[in-house]
Amino acid sequence: MKKYFKQAWRGISASKSRTFLTTLGIMIGIGTVILVLSAGEGFKSYINAQIDAFGSNSVIIETVVPASTKARNSGSAQDGGSSSANNAVPIKTFKNKDINDIKNLNNVQNAYGAALGQQVVTYGNVSKNIFIFGADASRFDIDKGEIASGRPYTEEEDSALAQVAVLGHDIAIDLFGENDPLGKYVRVGSYNFEVIGVYARRGSFGYSNDDEQVFIPISTLQKKILGIDYLFYGVAELVDNNKSETTGLDIADLLRRNHFITDINKDDFKVQTQAQSMDTFNTILSAVTFLLIAIAAISLVVGGVGVMNIMYVVVTERIAEIGLKKALGATNKDILYEFLIESILLTCIGGVVGIIGGSLFSFIIAKVVQSQGITWAFSVPLYGIILSVSVSMVIGIIFGVFPARNAAKLNPIEALNKE
Amino acid sequence: MLIDLKNITKEYDNSGVVTRVLHGISLEVEEGEFLSIMGPSGSGKSTLMHIIGFLDRPSTGIYNFNNEDTKDFPDDDLARIRNERIGFVFQSFNLLARTSVLDNVILPLTYSKLENHIERATKALESVGLGQRLGFMSNQISGGQKQRVAIARALVCDPKVIFADEPTGNLDSKSGATVMNILQKLNDEGRTIILVTHDRTVAEHAKRIITIRDGMIVMDEKIANQIRNVPVEDRD
């Protein structure tokens, strides 16, 4: 086999610029595959970091419009509920008491309820219309967000409807610029709130951006700002994450009791574990990755046709050489293998350069994203490399076999006479 | 008997038009002979050489090589015979471009079962006086040297027969004389040489000349006083 590699390599190295141009299509295709897979890994690391920050061993309790209500409202049947946040129908049954009861369940370490309101926040001449996030003080124990300066609010301040606020990183800069916001008062709606803390930068997560929000005690938000007594959602931190499924069921039972729900189809809440969230995310990511790789595959096919085209040209160019080799004792099989291996080498070179190029590009992307303060791991999955090399070889075989067979079948006399 | 042809014909079918190039050639060549095949262009001498050299098959007739009928030999067996028993020297040298002299000579070894490729190729090149040109590229040497490289390549697998098709056709007289000298030396060492040429002077370096015309042997003569060149110093 070594002899075939030697002859194939001689052919390839004879025309370096043509080799480069021939393999360009494969390089781009494989580079794109690597880029997509690496970006997928990076995105996964970003989501994991966000979930970790949110509390990786937690379950989320969302309010949802019950299926039966939704069906009545929309006139169409639905299997499950959909988030009340996405609907015009507010669900008012999820209360602070539910959170207190959840806190008493087995395997629940801590829990908080949260609500959100949009208000104009003013300091000096600067006004911003932003989201005010209200949550129990226990959120500061569960959520991994780092308070860069000052302190979080306490349970006592929550109970006392204290007008204290912790600012997100960006809103603090928007309102105060270079000045220290601690101890200053911002106006939220018609109330003045003392700034007691400022978050370190966190980056956005989905459509929510903690950096542009103001965080105040839930009771203050409910009673003074929104005039409501219910929560939008809750988060429970678990003792043992391995029991998250069971605890999720316990929470659901508890809420059904509290909300007097006897029919499971009329649930006005949804309990989602982080494992379920990750499953959903992975399913979406896999679908998107598959789609992008399918697009990259078009480039690979085009690249393969390019290789085939050049291999036909190479066979024509080397007819005299093929004749000579046959005269010197090369069998049809020898010639077939030489050209097939040359084709495989061409596509593999393209594949390897594509892997290096794709990895390099992924590395640059990771560095750029990381420079924006976002967690984005650079990683090229091993299966991606193995897949790329295998695909390159298969393309080399598929698109090289016909030109190689043509070469092998050449009559040595006719080939020699081409000289 | 090394080569025994009996009533060999060769026909080419070109879109239904059949052209007969060889008309019942019978020829015997003993081991160690130096035979010239002469004839004008289109006489069929090259076709005959291709058939004797297993580059082509006859349309009809029997070809015994080393007392074996080769009719039913598969292509791979013919390739093996070309590799192990036969060496070819062509008019236009047929060296691989952008390849060193040494690698050109190694080429037949690539397809053989023989080992020690570099040692064998070096020895073959030394035997034709090119031991100092191993690393030269094939385009960096003169025409005479190229033909000597081709002879070294024909020799490297230690064949029984060397076929030389107009080996001096592209050379000046001095280089041509050197090449003919080498072929005579190889014959003196016991190798069978079959030379194809249209040039009587070149042909007379052999011990026997057959003349072909219109696909038939019209003369078979022994040369009593074969031409012997005085070895000339290589000035290439």
Side-chain angles (χ1 to χ4, degrees):
Chain A
M1 196 52 77
K2 191 181 157 193
K3 64 184 181 184
Y4 300 131
F5 272 97
K6 194 180 169 190
Q7 293 298 319
W9 183 252
R10 198 179 62 78
I12 284 174
S13 53
S15 182
K16 293 184 181 67
S17 54
R18 184 164 76 184
T19 299
F20 171 76
L21 290 173
T22 306
T23 55
L24 199 57
I26 305 291
M27 285 178 204
I28 293 169
I30 294 290
T32 310
V33 169
I34 291 292
L35 189 65
V36 167
L37 293 177
S38 179
E41 291 296 309
F43 193 58
K44 224 181 258 183
S45 71
Y46 163 69
I47 296 294
N48 277 331
Q50 294 294 337
I51 286 171
D52 278 349
F54 206 69
S56 56
N57 57 338
S58 56
V59 293
I60 298 165
I61 305 110
E62 273 188 303
T63 56
V64 295
V65 179
S68 53
T69 312
K70 176 101 176 133
R72 269 202 311 279
N73 287 343
S74 64
S76 64
Q78 296 259 330
D79 287 332
S82 60
S83 168
S84 70
N86 298 330
N87 282 279
V89 187
I91 300 300
K92 302 178 179 177
T93 48
F94 189 39
K95 303 282 179 63
N96 297 30
K97 178 188 180 303
D98 292 326
I99 292 294
N100 289 332
D101 290 347
I102 287 169
K103 278 181 185 174
N104 292 328
L105 285 174
N106 280 336
N107 198 37
V108 173
Q109 175 114 352
N110 207 346
Y112 70 84
L116 214 59
Q118 203 166 9
Q119 292 289 319
V120 174
V121 178
T122 309
Y123 178 75
N125 297 327
V126 187
S127 290
K128 297 273 284 184
N129 191 356
I130 57 164
F131 282 110
I132 309 297
F133 188 97
D136 294 309
S138 51
R139 178 177 186 271
F140 294 103
D141 299 325
I142 297 169
D143 189 90
K144 301 293 187 293
E146 182 198 346
I147 292 186
S149 63
R151 64 171 179 85
Y153 49 77
T154 61
E155 265 185 56
E156 291 70 30
E157 285 170 323
D158 187 7
S159 307
L161 309 187
Q163 291 168 209
V164 289
V166 175
L167 304 184
H169 177 270
D170 292 353
I171 189 66
I173 290 171
D174 288 346
L175 295 177
F176 293 94
E178 295 293 308
N179 299 323
D180 183 7
L182 294 183
K184 310 267 184 353
Y185 284 84
V186 291
R187 193 156 186 82
V188 179
S190 51
Y191 295 91
N192 287 327
F193 279 73
E194 183 190 354
V195 179
I196 58 167
V198 177
Y199 267 115
R201 186 173 191 178
R202 302 190 72 176
S204 62
F205 179 40
Y207 51 81
S208 121
N209 187 351
D210 279 6
D211 294 337
E212 291 189 347
Q213 290 177 3
V214 170
F215 298 84
I216 64 172
I218 182 69
S219 306
T220 312
L221 179 74
Q222 285 174 318
K223 291 182 178 136
K224 288 190 172 173
I225 310 248
L226 300 178
I228 59 173
D229 65 347
Y230 55 87
L231 299 166
F232 288 11
Y233 74 92
V235 174
E237 185 183 33
L238 308 184
V239 176
D240 181 358
N241 203 36
N242 294 326
K243 296 177 186 166
S244 63
E245 295 289 328
T246 322
T247 310
L249 293 174
D250 289 346
I251 291 171
D253 282 345
L254 184 149
L255 291 177
R256 280 187 204 112
R257 274 201 308 279
N258 282 4
H259 300 181
F260 308 109
I261 296 167
T262 50
D263 181 358
I264 195 166
N265 293 318
K266 290 183 179 171
D267 277 354
D268 53 8
F269 60 87
K270 191 169 82 182
V271 181
Q272 179 126 9
T273 65
Q274 296 292 24
Q276 287 167 334
S277 305
M278 277 308 289
D279 282 350
T280 309
F281 163 73
N282 282 332
T283 306
I284 295 168
L285 184 68
S286 298
V288 172
T289 304
F290 184 78
L291 180 73
L292 292 174
I293 287 178
I295 293 167
I298 295 170
S299 169
L300 285 175
V301 171
V302 173
V305 172
V307 169
M308 191 181 201
N309 195 20
I310 288 296
M311 287 308 296
Y312 273 120
V313 172
V314 165
V315 169
T316 309
E317 274 182 357
R318 291 201 217 136
I319 282 182
E321 181 181 319
I322 295 163
L324 173 73
K325 286 179 172 177
K326 286 195 162 187
L328 299 181
T331 59
N332 290 357
K333 194 182 78 182
D334 289 329
I335 301 293
L336 177 82
Y337 282 175
E338 278 182 21
F339 279 91
L340 199 52
I341 286 172
E342 184 166 337
S343 169
I344 294 170
L345 268 180
L346 269 176
T347 52
C348 282
I349 288 170
V352 170
V353 175
I355 289 168
I356 295 168
S359 304
L360 202 65
F361 204 50
S362 304
F363 180 75
I364 292 167
I365 288 175
K367 284 290 160 198
V368 170
V369 175
Q370 285 165 8
S371 72
Q372 301 300 307
I374 297 168
T375 304
W376 188 279
F378 164 69
S379 134
V380 178
L382 182 65
Y383 75 87
I385 293 172
I386 294 168
L387 179 81
S388 298
V389 172
S390 312
V391 166
S392 303
M393 286 180 74
V394 169
I395 289 172
I397 293 168
I398 291 173
F399 291 97
V401 74
F402 291 105
R405 273 183 61 198
N406 276 11
K409 285 194 293 190
L410 277 173
N411 179 323
I413 305 290
E414 284 174 29
L416 272 171
N417 288 342
K418 293 281 177 184
E419 181 74 1
Chain B
M1 188 70 60
L2 182 65
I3 291 166
D4 183 10
L5 303 181
K6 287 191 175 78
N7 210 20
I8 294 288
T9 66
K10 181 67 187 176
E11 290 172 349
Y12 293 103
D13 187 344
N14 191 3
S15 309
V17 181
V18 178
T19 311
R20 181 171 275 205
V21 181
L22 298 180
H23 300 265
I25 297 248
S26 294
L27 175 69
E28 291 180 353
V29 182
E30 299 280 358
E31 200 165 341
E33 273 199 66
F34 191 157
L35 172 74
S36 281
I37 302 174
M38 266 197 70
S41 290
S43 60
K45 59 184 188 300
S46 289
T47 304
L48 178 61
M49 194 200 83
H50 292 152
I51 289 171
I52 305 176
F54 298 106
L55 288 169
D56 207 351
R57 290 176 189 265
S59 302
T60 60
I62 296 168
Y63 178 8
N64 291 323
F65 183 81
N66 224 10
N67 303 316
E68 265 189 288
D69 187 354
T70 60
K71 189 182 170 192
D72 297 324
F73 279 14
D75 285 349
D76 282 1
D77 281 7
L78 298 187
R80 189 175 45 76
I81 293 174
R82 289 197 297 270
N83 182 252
E84 294 173 0
R85 312 272 190 90
I86 294 172
F88 287 99
V89 179
F90 302 101
Q91 180 177 355
S92 48
F93 325 129
N94 292 62
L95 299 185
L96 296 180
R98 295 179 294 269
T99 305
S100 73
V101 162
L102 184 67
D103 281 339
N104 264 290
V105 178
I106 285 174
L107 190 61
L109 293 167
T110 308
Y111 306 109
S112 79
K113 289 173 186 157
L114 297 171
E115 291 179 351
N116 306 320
H117 292 183
I118 294 172
E119 290 80 356
R120 283 176 186 275
T122 306
K123 204 173 145 196
L125 280 162
E126 282 168 351
S127 74
V128 295
L130 289 174
Q132 306 301 313
R133 298 282 194 274
L134 305 182
F136 279 51
M137 301 306 274
S138 56
N139 57 336
Q140 291 175 321
I141 55 176
S142 68
Q145 288 173 332
K146 281 180 185 171
Q147 197 58 296
R148 280 149 65 191
V149 173
I151 294 172
R153 184 179 63 193
L155 281 175
V156 76
C157 290
D158 196 20
K160 276 180 177 289
V161 196
I162 289 182
F163 287 90
D165 189 0
E166 303 277 11
T168 59
N170 283 357
L171 302 179
D172 59 63
S173 57
K174 197 168 298 282
S175 301
T178 309
V179 165
M180 292 314 298
N181 240 329
I182 293 170
L183 292 177
Q184 282 181 326
K185 201 175 120 207
L186 292 171
N187 180 240
D188 292 344
E189 289 166 4
R191 258 180 251 271
T192 309
I193 311 287
I194 297 178
L195 173 73
V196 172
T197 182
H198 64 277
D199 185 338
R200 178 83 196 178
T201 317
V202 174
E204 284 181 1
H205 285 77
K207 295 171 183 168
R208 177 184 169 200
I209 300 176
I210 61 162
T211 307
I212 295 189
R213 191 159 289 137
D214 298 329
M216 290 179 286
I217 296 176
V218 293
M219 199 188 298
D220 188 344
E221 52 187 318
K222 294 259 189 261
I223 303 298
N225 300 308
Q226 62 179 139
I227 295 174
R228 283 265 172 188
N229 297 310
V230 178
V232 284
E233 199 180 316
D234 178 25
R235 280 184 243 149
D236 291 326

